[in-house]
Amino acid sequence: MFEQPIKRGLKQRCARCGQGSLFRSYLKFRDECPSCGQDFSVADTADGPAFFVGFLVMILFAPFYFILPMVSAPLVLKIVLWIILLSTMFGLALLLLPLFKAVLFNLQIRNRAEEAKWESTGSHGKPPRGWNQ
């Protein structure tokens, strides 16, 4: 069920047809699919992709941030290692962000996810009708 939108998302293709590209630029979605006409305004990934990418990248790189200060090396070497580590981390995040955004977008379209619509606030804290203490 989820295999198709995930594969199409990793290829940055439309969830419906798998042919049209999702993005018109780095992280900007097209208005619609150039192949099948799927409206891309029906879904919004918001901050989800950035959260997941940031979380994954920090899990991968956190050990280095604890180990590197304990390494006994000249200051110049440590500075070079920090620069390499930071640039690799940012590069990986920038590489993964469009992929995660495309996958989450395709999953939203496939599952017809939409913003919650509250029809009533419910009756939390109130006893049911006819209930006697």
Side-chain angles (χ1 to χ4, degrees):
M1 178 174 151
F2 294 113
E3 183 178 321
Q4 188 176 23
I6 291 173
K7 282 184 180 179
R8 289 178 177 176
L10 291 173
K11 294 177 184 177
Q12 298 179 17
R13 298 291 176 205
C14 173
R16 184 195 291 173
C17 69
Q19 301 300 315
S21 63
L22 291 174
F23 298 106
R24 66 174 184 245
S25 64
Y26 176 61
L27 289 176
K28 299 279 186 186
F29 286 115
R30 295 179 181 276
D31 295 328
E32 63 182 26
C33 176
S35 296
C36 68
Q38 166 72 43
D39 181 19
F40 288 162
S41 66
V42 297
D44 179 23
T45 59
D47 294 334
F51 171 79
F52 289 117
V53 167
F55 194 69
L56 176 66
V57 168
M58 287 311 297
I59 286 174
L60 294 174
F61 284 89
F64 298 107
Y65 287 103
F66 293 112
I67 294 170
L68 191 57
M70 293 186 282
V71 172
S72 59
L75 182 61
V76 174
L77 180 61
K78 281 188 175 185
I79 291 172
V80 169
L81 289 174
W82 277 109
I83 291 170
I84 292 171
L85 185 65
L86 285 171
S87 59
T88 305
M89 184 179 73
F90 286 127
L92 181 62
L94 292 174
L95 177 74
L96 292 177
L97 198 51
L99 298 175
F100 274 64
K101 188 166 183 163
V103 168
L104 288 175
F105 183 77
N106 279 353
L107 287 170
Q108 284 181 329
I109 288 178
R110 170 67 188 240
N111 294 304
R112 296 181 189 100
E114 60 184 29
E115 197 171 319
K117 294 177 182 153
W118 300 100
E119 295 175 2
S120 76
T121 58
S123 59
H124 298 288
K126 297 179 185 174
R129 287 186 191 138
W131 187 72
N132 295 324
Q133 291 184 2

